Amino acid sequence: MAQFTKHTDDAVLWNCFRNGDEDAYTELARRYYRPLAQYGRRFTPNMQVVEDALQDLLVHLWLHRESLNETPSVRFYLLKSFRNRILKTIKPLAEEVELTNHFDDLNAEFSREDSMIQGENDLALKKQVRNVMNQLPSRQQEVIYLRFFQNLKPEEIAGLLSINPQSVSNLIQRALHNLREIWTSASSYSLFFYSFYQILY
């Protein structure tokens, strides 16, 4: 078995996994478990449902690895597969599972970048950034998350959400415009976008 690290390219991992390499499968699961779980919280705050759907997906991938095709983007493939699976999971449970209209998982993603913004003042600014993001409509939050946190291209987001690429571009532009509108304090405006882009990049 080959040795894989966090620097190993996704495409290499994917092809090795398809050929039955358990280490490649383990590295893919480690790499994507957290972002997929956070994305699942877009659809329900019930983490048991999210984790069950994610475990089902991982088992399905391993059992059907030999029939999987190559993919230009492993991240996109996994996000799309998980999105389809969790929507299928929560549909019959609509009366039992609480659905969410907010991207609370963005807060967890922000915490991943704590090393970028340090100090009490900066942490307070980060909290303000979170609050501003939470005021966006849920679809705008989703495209911002997919574009900047998951690094998907507009064409990929379009495929994931079953809308056209121009609609994705419009949503992103509208979301950024709304962020500027929400953040009304002129003195804090530049600090907000510095903080925001530090987190995104």
Side-chain angles (χ1 to χ4, degrees):
M1 296 288 183
Q3 294 296 315
F4 304 107
T5 71
K6 64 181 180 179
H7 302 295
T8 304
D9 187 74
D10 278 359
V12 173
L13 288 172
W14 184 255
N15 287 329
C16 289
F17 149 64
R18 289 168 57 228
N19 290 324
D21 192 313
E22 293 185 22
D23 290 338
Y25 171 75
T26 299
E27 176 59 24
L28 280 172
R30 183 202 65 77
R31 187 174 295 185
Y32 285 105
Y33 193 95
R34 184 169 176 265
L36 288 174
Q38 290 172 348
Y39 186 48
R41 291 182 61 195
R42 162 67 179 84
F43 306 99
T44 172
N46 188 324
M47 281 306 297
Q48 187 61 55
V49 171
V50 171
E51 291 181 359
D52 286 348
L54 185 47
Q55 290 292 340
D56 287 346
L57 174 63
L58 292 175
V59 170
H60 175 84
L61 289 173
W62 179 253
L63 293 178
H64 297 86
R65 61 191 180 280
E66 294 180 359
S67 63
L68 298 176
N69 296 321
E70 291 187 29
T71 176
S73 173
V74 174
R75 180 181 296 272
F76 170 74
Y77 182 92
L78 293 176
L79 284 168
K80 186 173 181 63
S81 297
F82 184 58
R83 190 179 199 274
N84 291 339
R85 184 167 292 268
I86 198 164
L87 286 175
K88 184 178 179 181
T89 299
I90 63 178
K91 186 175 181 180
L93 301 175
E95 295 182 357
E96 302 174 27
V97 177
E98 178 188 358
L99 303 183
T100 180
N101 291 321
H102 299 285
F103 241 109
D104 293 333
D105 54 302
L106 282 176
N107 291 341
E109 197 71 12
F110 277 125
S111 67
R112 183 168 61 96
E113 307 297 343
D114 280 342
S115 61
M116 290 186 177
I117 304 176
Q118 299 175 354
E120 290 184 7
N121 292 335
D122 289 335
L123 289 175
L125 180 59
K126 273 184 63 179
K127 184 175 181 180
Q128 289 179 292
V129 172
R130 296 188 190 112
N131 292 336
V132 169
M133 289 292 292
N134 284 336
Q135 293 181 55
L136 292 177
S138 58
R139 182 51 69 94
Q140 290 181 22
Q141 291 185 45
E142 185 169 13
V143 296
I144 288 291
Y145 176 79
L146 293 171
R147 180 68 184 93
F148 296 108
F149 289 91
Q150 294 296 340
N151 298 316
L152 294 188
K153 300 175 182 177
E155 296 78 10
E156 293 175 322
I157 298 173
L160 190 66
L161 303 182
S162 299
I163 59 178
N164 63 61
Q166 185 58 51
S167 294
V168 172
S169 296
N170 292 344
L171 280 167
I172 292 172
Q173 292 304 315
R174 198 172 302 127
L176 293 176
H177 173 77
N178 286 342
L179 286 172
R180 289 192 292 268
E181 289 293 315
I182 294 169
W183 199 272
T184 56
S185 173
S187 61
S188 300
Y189 179 81
S190 60
L191 283 176
F192 164 68
F193 275 94
Y194 171 76
S195 175
F196 181 66
Y197 284 109
Q198 282 282 59
I199 291 168
L200 294 185
Y201 298 106

